[in-house]
């Protein structure tokens, strides 16, 4: 299969990248990050999450962030909404697109959201109906597609079953997430081969964590399978709380470098992306998680 001519990166740094940070991050800094990412040419940015502050304190100001960003035409500013209440809050904040999430592992689903996979999908039904009535698109996430911290190996057929349900419910795109970063290129290709029997490849995306240093290899394997949408996080922000020492999300800069080397268009400016990542890392007082950014900044 030929490589895609263009790829869309879904920037999850402002949400998935920041949600586990312990230190307070100001609304102004979050707004600046989103605006910097917009200026770098990202066309899809997950800005925040409308969940209970009790569970994810860092996302408590998502409505204020949406109110403060400088929205640009052609850019999707999305939010994670786990239930109808969250969707309604997102709609009030002017969110254009939302995302829902389910797990491919029963144990992970129970420990993460205290219900079975089937129950989690049922909870989305009223949200999906409300989104359709409001003409809001919904994107779906499936976690633990290449391994679970509790169940170990996950059968591709199980992932396909969950992805099929999300797609049938109305998710226009389903992102398959290697939550603990244990996937390898061969298993990634097999996964997409199996899932694509139920959900068209053009409706699938990849979300890879770099815990074992395999994220870029898995992205290349996905490209070979015709996948052209990938989630990534500027400066590699975010970690996986379920795997000790996990590096978390693959860095957007590193993915962009791979794609540029393959001659695949993204419309993203590398220098501006690196600057955006470095600025938020300085705010957080942490090292930049992108190998490409570190190499460029050290020259």
């Amino acid at each position: 299969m030929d490589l895609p001519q263009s790829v869309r990166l879904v920037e999850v740094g402002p949400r998935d990248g920041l949600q586990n940070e312990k230190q307070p991050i100001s609304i102004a800094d979050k707004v600046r990050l989103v605006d910097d990412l917009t200026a770098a040419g990202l066309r899809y940015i997950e800005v925040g999450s409308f969940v209970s502050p009790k569970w994810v304190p860092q996302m408590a100001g998502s409505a204020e962030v949406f109110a403060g960003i400088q929205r640009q035409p052609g850019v999707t500013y999305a939010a994670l909404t786990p239930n109808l209440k969250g969707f309604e809050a997102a709609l009030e904040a002017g969110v254009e697109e939302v995302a829902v999430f389910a797990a491919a592992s029963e144990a992970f689903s129970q420990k993460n959201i205290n219900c079975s996979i089937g129950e989690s999908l049922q909870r989305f039904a009223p949200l999906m109906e409300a989104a359709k009535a409001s003409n809001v698109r919904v994107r779906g996430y499936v976690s633990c597609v290449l391994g679970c911290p509790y169940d170990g190996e996950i059968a591709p057929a199980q992932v396909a079953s969950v992805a099929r349900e999300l797609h049938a419910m109305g998710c226009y795109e389903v992102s398959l997430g290697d939550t603990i970063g244990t996937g390898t290129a061969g298993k990634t290709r097999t996964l997409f081969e199996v899932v694509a029997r139920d959900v068209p490849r053009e409706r699938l995306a990849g979300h890879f964590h770099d815990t074992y240093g395999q994220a870029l290899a898995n992205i290349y394997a996905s490209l070979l399978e015709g996948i052209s949408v990938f989630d990534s996080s500027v400066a590699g922000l975010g970690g996986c709380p379920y795997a000790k020492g996990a590096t978390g999300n693959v860095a957007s800069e590193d993915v962009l470098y791979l794609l540029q080397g393959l001659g695949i268009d993204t419309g993203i400016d590398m220098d501006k992306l690196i600057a955006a990542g470095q600025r938020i890392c300085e705010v957080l007082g942490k090292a930049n998680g992108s190998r490409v950014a570190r190499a460029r900044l050290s020259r």
Side-chain angles (χ1 to χ4, degrees):
M1 184 176 291
D2 294 333
L3 294 177
Q5 293 185 338
S6 64
V7 159
R8 171 163 57 88
L9 289 189
V10 172
E11 175 56 56
V12 300
R15 196 277 300 175
D16 198 20
L18 297 182
Q19 68 178 6
N20 290 323
E21 290 291 330
K22 302 301 182 185
Q23 68 183 79
I25 305 170
S26 71
I27 298 299
D29 284 328
K30 293 178 181 178
V31 168
R32 177 64 185 271
L33 174 59
V34 175
D35 288 346
D36 284 349
L37 292 168
T38 300
L42 273 301
R43 290 295 171 260
Y44 191 112
I45 304 171
E46 199 172 60
V47 175
S49 178
F50 289 84
V51 296
S52 170
K54 175 183 176 181
W55 301 113
V56 191
Q58 197 64 260
M59 292 291 103
S62 289
E64 289 82 356
V65 177
F66 271 98
I69 60 176
Q70 298 297 311
R71 305 190 193 208
Q72 297 298 322
V75 182
T76 297
Y77 300 97
L80 188 71
T81 55
N83 51 40
L84 181 59
K85 183 178 180 180
F87 173 79
E88 291 171 342
L91 198 63
E92 188 175 341
V95 177
E96 303 165 335
E97 184 172 310
V98 301
V100 297
F101 62 90
S105 157
E106 286 290 355
F108 188 89
S109 184
Q110 290 287 354
K111 290 181 180 291
N112 192 37
I113 54 177
N114 198 34
C115 69
S116 69
I117 295 172
E119 289 169 336
S120 72
L121 293 171
Q122 289 174 6
R123 291 179 183 178
F124 297 147
L127 185 157
M128 300 300 296
E129 291 177 8
K132 184 177 181 180
S134 301
N135 199 30
V136 172
R137 298 210 304 172
V138 182
R139 190 171 190 256
Y141 285 108
V142 184
S143 58
C144 296
V145 300
L146 288 165
C148 169
Y150 312 111
D151 284 339
E153 292 281 333
I154 300 297
Q158 173 65 19
V159 180
S161 175
V162 179
R164 181 175 63 248
E165 289 295 323
L166 287 171
H167 186 246
M169 292 176 71
C171 291
Y172 78 93
E173 185 172 274
V174 180
S175 176
L176 306 185
D178 183 14
T179 307
I180 59 173
T182 56
T184 55
K187 290 182 179 179
T188 295
R189 296 199 68 173
T190 298
L191 174 69
F192 279 111
E193 286 173 5
V194 172
V195 178
R197 297 169 191 162
D198 293 299
V199 182
R201 280 178 167 80
E202 61 269 22
R203 300 292 185 184
L204 295 173
H207 182 120
F208 296 99
H209 283 216
D210 205 31
T211 313
Y212 284 73
Q214 301 299 300
L216 292 180
N218 292 337
I219 288 172
Y220 184 70
S222 304
L223 290 168
L224 294 174
E225 288 298 318
I227 306 304
S228 60
V229 181
F230 297 97
D231 304 349
S232 61
S233 179
V234 65
L237 293 175
C240 177
Y242 310 103
K244 188 175 181 179
T247 52
N249 295 299
V250 65
S252 301
E253 300 91 329
D254 297 356
V255 179
L256 179 58
Y257 186 77
L258 168 68
L259 297 174
Q260 288 179 338
L262 293 170
I264 296 174
D265 179 55
T266 62
I268 301 170
D269 184 301
M270 177 68 88
D271 290 336
K272 291 182 179 180
L273 182 61
I274 290 175
Q278 187 60 20
R279 185 175 290 113
I280 189 63
C281 284
E282 290 171 358
V283 168
L284 297 173
K286 64 192 303 181
N288 196 311
S290 163
R291 292 179 176 85
V292 170
R294 294 198 303 270
R296 291 283 185 91
L297 292 169
S298 66
R299 291 188 308 192

